[in-house]
Amino acid sequence: MTVYTLSNPHLRMRVSTQGACLLGLEDEQGRPLLRDTGPDVLCDPGQWHPGESALFPMVPLANRVAGNRFELWGKGYGLPESSVDPDFFLHGDGWLQQWESVTLTDRSVAMLLTSRNGPFHYLAEIDYRLQGTSLVARISLTHLGETPCLYGAGFHPFFWRDEQTRIRFLASGVWLEGADHLPTDWSSRLAPHLDFRQWQRPQGWLNHCYGGWHGTAELVHPTRQQRLKVVSDASFLMLYQSDDASGFVCLEPQSHAANAHHLAGHPGLRLLQRGDIMSIAMTITLMPELTVRCEA
């Protein structure tokens, strides 16, 4: 794999052609904003896995699909096997493949991937660029197959956190996690530990999909006097955290609900014909320090 280092006066990031993953995003002081992969990956890339990255794309779907199959117009489609999960086509295959760099500057990189896997035949393009104090990312998917297919996409960033980190975002409800990490019932009543309308520390195991997301999420690090803002055109947000000692929390904008292939109306999934395009964007912005003092 090839790793590109991009920077401007405010931010520095490393991007890998393997999985189109970010290996790190740092502020001007060298402090990680996302989980840092570290330099060892360059010494022995064979021992590194995209799941250990700072951010990876989810294409042509996000999360998991029950039974690893879905139906469309009465026809069943089995999803491909995954090298990282024995039961699911977890987060699709884009994060596991080698992408081709097509444009590169000091502050941006664009990469392409063509994949034909199970019912999916698509061209994906991802663009990462540094603009001032923001990382701007966009994924575009073009369906290449003759038969229409359901598509989705998302971003899976691992935000740095410590015990004082707090988050907040607005959503109309949440699908609670059930067996095999699949969502169960929808609830518009948010349990206290799942209600982030006000600043709150994420605690314990979390793996839930929020719907009716307002498109903005924020993280504040009081010990650093630092605040991050995540903005996306997605309507769904996955909140994931492994445990209190993990050192990261994931706020994952995605175009569709988890397991949307089995939900009425396929919420958020796009049915694409040959040549149709869908896209999803995300911006991560390091906010002015003064804002943190006012609101933290």
Side-chain angles (χ1 to χ4, degrees), residues 21-23 35-37 48-56 156 158:
C21 299
L22 261 61
L23 304 186
R35 177 176 65 176
D36 190 64
T37 302
W48 173 79
H49 188 274
E52 302 168 338
S53 66
L55 180 156
F56 62 79
H156 199 307
F158 295 80

Side-chain angles (χ1 to χ4, degrees), residues 14-294:
R14 290 176 293 135
V15 186
S16 170
T17 55
Q18 177 61 45
C21 299
L22 261 61
L23 304 186
L25 177 67
E26 304 167 353
D27 68 10
E28 59 190 18
Q29 301 179 44
R31 299 177 300 184
L33 306 180
L34 301 177
R35 177 176 65 176
D36 190 64
T37 302
D40 293 344
V41 62
L42 297 178
C43 300
D44 191 5
Q47 298 301 311
W48 173 79
H49 188 274
E52 302 168 338
S53 66
L55 180 156
F56 62 79
M58 299 182 286
V59 291
L61 58 82
N63 214 265
R64 298 166 174 84
V65 178
N68 212 38
R69 61 182 295 107
F70 67 93
E71 287 191 2
L72 183 61
W73 300 315
K75 181 179 179 180
Y77 293 89
L79 295 179
E81 295 183 355
S82 172
S83 60
V84 297
D85 193 301
D87 300 315
F88 301 101
F89 186 49
L90 181 62
H91 303 315
D93 61 354
W95 65 306
L96 303 175
Q97 298 202 56
Q98 183 74 20
W99 293 56
E100 176 188 359
S101 173
V102 289
T103 60
L104 176 67
T105 72
D106 292 342
R107 302 183 182 186
S108 67
V109 62
M111 291 179 282
L112 295 177
L113 170 70
T114 301
S115 179
R116 189 166 191 167
N117 203 349
F120 304 106
H121 185 195
Y122 65 90
L123 170 67
E125 180 176 1
I126 192 163
D127 181 273
Y128 294 115
R129 60 185 60 243
L130 299 178
Q131 294 182 353
T133 59
S134 297
L135 163 64
V136 181
R138 176 176 291 275
I139 297 170
S140 296
L141 285 174
T142 304
H143 180 51
L144 303 178
E146 294 294 338
T147 303
C149 192
L150 292 169
Y151 280 88
F155 295 96
H156 199 307
F158 295 80
F159 289 96
W160 179 91
R161 74 167 181 86
D162 62 13
E163 289 301 315
Q164 299 304 313
T165 296
R166 290 175 284 164
I167 64 176
R168 71 175 178 181
F169 58 85
L170 189 63
S172 62
V174 64
W175 283 276
L176 301 176
E177 182 189 29
D180 295 327
H181 307 301
L182 291 165
T184 56
D185 296 332
W186 166 264
S187 177
S188 58
R189 293 187 177 184
L190 301 175
H193 74 291
L194 298 179
D195 188 351
F196 292 95
R197 289 175 293 176
Q198 305 298 325
W199 290 113
Q200 182 178 178
R201 289 192 300 120
Q203 301 183 56
W205 174 270
L206 298 167
N207 193 28
H208 306 284
C209 183
Y210 287 81
W213 178 42
H214 190 255
T216 300
E218 297 171 282
L219 301 91
V220 66
H221 306 305
T223 55
R224 292 181 171 184
Q225 285 292 296
Q226 188 180 77
R227 178 171 156 225
L228 295 176
K229 187 175 184 179
V230 183
V231 177
S232 176
D233 51 3
S235 298
F236 302 88
L237 183 72
M238 197 78 189
L239 172 62
Y240 169 66
Q241 177 175 278
S242 61
D243 56 49
D244 281 336
S246 63
F248 69 79
V249 61
C250 297
L251 296 164
E252 310 164 34
Q254 52 189 57
S255 64
H256 61 91
N259 198 34
H261 296 74
H262 289 270
L263 298 179
H266 301 140
L269 288 171
R270 290 284 306 278
L271 181 63
L272 302 184
Q273 299 185 83
R274 181 179 177 87
D276 286 348
I277 302 173
M278 68 159 289
S279 66
I280 181 173
M282 177 187 69
T283 300
I284 299 174
T285 301
L286 180 59
M287 303 298 288
E289 190 172 301
L290 178 62
T291 308
V292 178
R293 292 197 182 104
C294 292

